[in-house]
Amino acid sequence: MKRIIPYVVINIALASFAFGQSKIQKESADSSNEQEVRQTIEKYRAALLRRDIPMLEQIWADDYFFVNAAGEMLTKAQRLANLKSGATTLESINEEEELKVRVHQNAAVAASRVTIRGQYSGQPTSGQYRSIHVWLKGPTGWQLVANQLTALAAK
């Protein structure tokens, strides 16, 4: 019996170390994915400001949709058409608070408050909005599958 006790103690110690490593590796992967999402959001912002159609075609998933501040739902094709025609042009997109990113395996949700100046669907726009993005990680990296803007009341 005395010989078994050290083996049991060692096995318990090794098992707890192994489980601890898994948690550390998961946290490291989540942190890495979060940084990737943040970098992709910056690329997205720059592509919108430059009206970089090829970059937006890569960033937006094929089944992407956007809910604008008026509550209208637009597809990837509709958004691209608005950008190509000049109906949507953005002068500035400024983060007004810390961007929050939550990663869950190959999915991420990002939320922030932004000030946007420009034109959406041919209508001048300027104001503060709550922005929500839903991202999925696929073979080519992170892609935006949905986002929504909610207009905020002036303070």
mmCIF file of all heavy atoms in Angstrom, residues 70-94:
data_model
loop_
_atom_site.group_PDB
_atom_site.id
_atom_site.type_symbol
_atom_site.label_atom_id
_atom_site.label_comp_id
_atom_site.label_asym_id
_atom_site.label_seq_id
_atom_site.Cartn_x
_atom_site.Cartn_y
_atom_site.Cartn_z
ATOM 1 N N ALA A 70 -30.759 52.719 -40.133
ATOM 2 C CA ALA A 70 -32.191 52.861 -40.426
ATOM 3 C C ALA A 70 -32.921 51.526 -40.290
ATOM 4 O O ALA A 70 -34.134 51.455 -40.493
ATOM 5 C CB ALA A 70 -32.382 53.421 -41.837
ATOM 6 N N GLY A 71 -32.186 50.462 -39.965
ATOM 7 C CA GLY A 71 -32.791 49.151 -39.794
ATOM 8 C C GLY A 71 -32.907 48.344 -41.071
ATOM 9 O O GLY A 71 -33.482 47.267 -41.079
ATOM 10 N N GLU A 72 -32.361 48.864 -42.168
ATOM 11 C CA GLU A 72 -32.413 48.150 -43.444
ATOM 12 C C GLU A 72 -31.310 47.097 -43.490
ATOM 13 O O GLU A 72 -30.191 47.347 -43.050
ATOM 14 C CB GLU A 72 -32.221 49.129 -44.601
ATOM 15 C CG GLU A 72 -33.262 50.222 -44.638
ATOM 16 C CD GLU A 72 -32.870 51.391 -45.524
ATOM 17 O OE1 GLU A 72 -31.663 51.664 -45.694
ATOM 18 O OE2 GLU A 72 -33.795 52.030 -46.033
ATOM 19 N N MET A 73 -31.645 45.924 -44.040
ATOM 20 C CA MET A 73 -30.657 44.868 -44.171
ATOM 21 C C MET A 73 -30.132 44.844 -45.605
ATOM 22 O O MET A 73 -30.907 44.781 -46.552
ATOM 23 C CB MET A 73 -31.238 43.502 -43.812
ATOM 24 C CG MET A 73 -30.143 42.482 -43.779
ATOM 25 S SD MET A 73 -30.370 40.888 -42.987
ATOM 26 C CE MET A 73 -32.005 40.630 -42.651
ATOM 27 N N LEU A 74 -28.799 44.919 -45.716
ATOM 28 C CA LEU A 74 -28.142 44.918 -47.020
ATOM 29 C C LEU A 74 -27.229 43.707 -47.140
ATOM 30 O O LEU A 74 -26.545 43.337 -46.180
ATOM 31 C CB LEU A 74 -27.319 46.194 -47.208
ATOM 32 C CG LEU A 74 -28.089 47.508 -47.119
ATOM 33 C CD1 LEU A 74 -27.142 48.683 -46.982
ATOM 34 C CD2 LEU A 74 -28.961 47.674 -48.348
ATOM 35 N N THR A 75 -27.188 43.121 -48.325
ATOM 36 C CA THR A 75 -26.318 41.978 -48.593
ATOM 37 C C THR A 75 -24.928 42.479 -49.000
ATOM 38 O O THR A 75 -24.724 43.681 -49.242
ATOM 39 C CB THR A 75 -26.878 41.124 -49.738
ATOM 40 O OG1 THR A 75 -26.852 41.913 -50.942
ATOM 41 C CG2 THR A 75 -28.287 40.640 -49.437
ATOM 42 N N LYS A 76 -24.025 41.549 -49.147
ATOM 43 C CA LYS A 76 -22.684 41.859 -49.624
ATOM 44 C C LYS A 76 -22.761 42.534 -51.000
ATOM 45 O O LYS A 76 -22.134 43.566 -51.222
ATOM 46 C CB LYS A 76 -21.847 40.581 -49.695
ATOM 47 C CG LYS A 76 -20.456 40.766 -50.254
ATOM 48 C CD LYS A 76 -19.699 39.446 -50.270
ATOM 49 C CE LYS A 76 -18.292 39.599 -50.796
ATOM 50 N NZ LYS A 76 -17.523 38.336 -50.710
ATOM 51 N N ALA A 77 -23.564 41.965 -51.895
ATOM 52 C CA ALA A 77 -23.689 42.526 -53.247
ATOM 53 C C ALA A 77 -24.232 43.954 -53.209
ATOM 54 O O ALA A 77 -23.749 44.826 -53.944
ATOM 55 C CB ALA A 77 -24.593 41.637 -54.105
ATOM 56 N N GLN A 78 -25.209 44.212 -52.352
ATOM 57 C CA GLN A 78 -25.775 45.563 -52.249
ATOM 58 C C GLN A 78 -24.756 46.547 -51.686
ATOM 59 O O GLN A 78 -24.656 47.679 -52.168
ATOM 60 C CB GLN A 78 -27.035 45.539 -51.372
ATOM 61 C CG GLN A 78 -28.206 44.827 -52.027
ATOM 62 C CD GLN A 78 -29.346 44.571 -51.063
ATOM 63 O OE1 GLN A 78 -29.133 44.144 -49.931
ATOM 64 N NE2 GLN A 78 -30.565 44.824 -51.522
ATOM 65 N N ARG A 79 -24.021 46.128 -50.672
ATOM 66 C CA ARG A 79 -23.000 47.022 -50.103
ATOM 67 C C ARG A 79 -21.920 47.335 -51.129
ATOM 68 O O ARG A 79 -21.481 48.479 -51.255
ATOM 69 C CB ARG A 79 -22.353 46.406 -48.859
ATOM 70 C CG ARG A 79 -23.279 46.267 -47.712
ATOM 71 C CD ARG A 79 -23.113 47.068 -46.483
ATOM 72 N NE ARG A 79 -22.297 48.199 -46.318
ATOM 73 C CZ ARG A 79 -21.457 48.380 -45.313
ATOM 74 N NH1 ARG A 79 -21.292 47.443 -44.406
ATOM 75 N NH2 ARG A 79 -20.791 49.502 -45.178
ATOM 76 N N LEU A 80 -21.469 46.301 -51.851
ATOM 77 C CA LEU A 80 -20.445 46.518 -52.873
ATOM 78 C C LEU A 80 -20.958 47.451 -53.965
ATOM 79 O O LEU A 80 -20.230 48.350 -54.412
ATOM 80 C CB LEU A 80 -19.990 45.188 -53.471
ATOM 81 C CG LEU A 80 -19.160 44.302 -52.546
ATOM 82 C CD1 LEU A 80 -18.981 42.915 -53.149
ATOM 83 C CD2 LEU A 80 -17.814 44.940 -52.232
ATOM 84 N N ALA A 81 -22.210 47.280 -54.387
ATOM 85 C CA ALA A 81 -22.795 48.155 -55.412
ATOM 86 C C ALA A 81 -22.842 49.596 -54.915
ATOM 87 O O ALA A 81 -22.542 50.536 -55.675
ATOM 88 C CB ALA A 81 -24.190 47.666 -55.789
ATOM 89 N N ASN A 82 -23.215 49.818 -53.655
ATOM 90 C CA ASN A 82 -23.253 51.169 -53.088
ATOM 91 C C ASN A 82 -21.864 51.804 -53.088
ATOM 92 O O ASN A 82 -21.715 52.995 -53.377
ATOM 93 C CB ASN A 82 -23.813 51.148 -51.668
ATOM 94 C CG ASN A 82 -25.319 51.096 -51.621
ATOM 95 O OD1 ASN A 82 -25.998 51.354 -52.606
ATOM 96 N ND2 ASN A 82 -25.859 50.737 -50.469
ATOM 97 N N LEU A 83 -20.858 51.018 -52.742
ATOM 98 C CA LEU A 83 -19.491 51.545 -52.729
ATOM 99 C C LEU A 83 -19.001 51.843 -54.144
ATOM 100 O O LEU A 83 -18.397 52.890 -54.390
ATOM 101 C CB LEU A 83 -18.546 50.559 -52.035
ATOM 102 C CG LEU A 83 -18.701 50.498 -50.521
ATOM 103 C CD1 LEU A 83 -18.071 49.226 -49.964
ATOM 104 C CD2 LEU A 83 -18.068 51.724 -49.877
ATOM 105 N N LYS A 84 -19.252 50.924 -55.068
ATOM 106 C CA LYS A 84 -18.799 51.110 -56.448
ATOM 107 C C LYS A 84 -19.445 52.325 -57.100
ATOM 108 O O LYS A 84 -18.807 53.058 -57.849
ATOM 109 C CB LYS A 84 -19.093 49.858 -57.279
ATOM 110 C CG LYS A 84 -18.213 48.675 -56.936
ATOM 111 C CD LYS A 84 -18.646 47.425 -57.708
ATOM 112 C CE LYS A 84 -17.831 46.225 -57.293
ATOM 113 N NZ LYS A 84 -18.301 44.987 -57.971
ATOM 114 N N SER A 85 -20.729 52.552 -56.801
ATOM 115 C CA SER A 85 -21.459 53.673 -57.416
ATOM 116 C C SER A 85 -21.149 55.017 -56.751
ATOM 117 O O SER A 85 -21.470 56.055 -57.293
ATOM 118 C CB SER A 85 -22.967 53.417 -57.328
ATOM 119 O OG SER A 85 -23.414 53.569 -55.982
ATOM 120 N N GLY A 86 -20.559 54.975 -55.553
ATOM 121 C CA GLY A 86 -20.305 56.210 -54.820
ATOM 122 C C GLY A 86 -21.453 56.579 -53.891
ATOM 123 O O GLY A 86 -21.403 57.615 -53.225
ATOM 124 N N ALA A 87 -22.503 55.756 -53.844
ATOM 125 C CA ALA A 87 -23.629 56.041 -52.941
ATOM 126 C C ALA A 87 -23.180 55.962 -51.486
ATOM 127 O O ALA A 87 -23.728 56.639 -50.623
ATOM 128 C CB ALA A 87 -24.772 55.070 -53.195
ATOM 129 N N THR A 88 -22.176 55.119 -51.212
ATOM 130 C CA THR A 88 -21.593 55.039 -49.872
ATOM 131 C C THR A 88 -20.149 55.502 -49.954
ATOM 132 O O THR A 88 -19.351 54.926 -50.695
ATOM 133 C CB THR A 88 -21.661 53.601 -49.310
ATOM 134 O OG1 THR A 88 -23.028 53.237 -49.164
ATOM 135 C CG2 THR A 88 -20.963 53.519 -47.962
ATOM 136 N N THR A 89 -19.854 56.568 -49.239
ATOM 137 C CA THR A 89 -18.484 57.072 -49.101
ATOM 138 C C THR A 89 -18.306 57.498 -47.653
ATOM 139 O O THR A 89 -19.198 58.121 -47.076
ATOM 140 C CB THR A 89 -18.213 58.282 -50.020
ATOM 141 O OG1 THR A 89 -19.159 59.300 -49.723
ATOM 142 C CG2 THR A 89 -18.301 57.912 -51.487
ATOM 143 N N LEU A 90 -17.198 57.137 -47.077
ATOM 144 C CA LEU A 90 -16.949 57.489 -45.685
ATOM 145 C C LEU A 90 -15.704 58.362 -45.585
ATOM 146 O O LEU A 90 -14.658 58.035 -46.138
ATOM 147 C CB LEU A 90 -16.787 56.230 -44.839
ATOM 148 C CG LEU A 90 -18.022 55.321 -44.820
ATOM 149 C CD1 LEU A 90 -17.721 54.022 -44.110
ATOM 150 C CD2 LEU A 90 -19.185 56.031 -44.171
ATOM 151 N N GLU A 91 -15.862 59.488 -44.891
ATOM 152 C CA GLU A 91 -14.742 60.399 -44.667
ATOM 153 C C GLU A 91 -13.941 59.983 -43.442
ATOM 154 O O GLU A 91 -12.727 60.117 -43.414
ATOM 155 C CB GLU A 91 -15.266 61.821 -44.472
ATOM 156 C CG GLU A 91 -15.999 62.372 -45.675
ATOM 157 C CD GLU A 91 -16.763 63.640 -45.323
ATOM 158 O OE1 GLU A 91 -16.428 64.312 -44.328
ATOM 159 O OE2 GLU A 91 -17.712 63.951 -46.064
ATOM 160 N N SER A 92 -14.655 59.515 -42.392
ATOM 161 C CA SER A 92 -13.958 59.124 -41.166
ATOM 162 C C SER A 92 -14.775 58.116 -40.377
ATOM 163 O O SER A 92 -16.010 58.122 -40.424
ATOM 164 C CB SER A 92 -13.663 60.343 -40.292
ATOM 165 O OG SER A 92 -14.869 60.939 -39.854
ATOM 166 N N ILE A 93 -14.044 57.246 -39.677
ATOM 167 C CA ILE A 93 -14.628 56.290 -38.735
ATOM 168 C C ILE A 93 -13.719 56.323 -37.517
ATOM 169 O O ILE A 93 -12.563 55.893 -37.596
ATOM 170 C CB ILE A 93 -14.653 54.851 -39.303
ATOM 171 C CG1 ILE A 93 -15.356 54.793 -40.654
ATOM 172 C CG2 ILE A 93 -15.295 53.907 -38.292
ATOM 173 C CD1 ILE A 93 -15.190 53.457 -41.365
ATOM 174 N N ASN A 94 -14.209 56.879 -36.429
ATOM 175 C CA ASN A 94 -13.383 57.015 -35.225
ATOM 176 C C ASN A 94 -13.960 56.224 -34.064
ATOM 177 O O ASN A 94 -15.139 56.367 -33.740
ATOM 178 C CB ASN A 94 -13.275 58.498 -34.821
ATOM 179 C CG ASN A 94 -12.592 59.315 -35.885
ATOM 180 O OD1 ASN A 94 -11.545 58.951 -36.381
ATOM 181 N ND2 ASN A 94 -13.210 60.421 -36.260
#
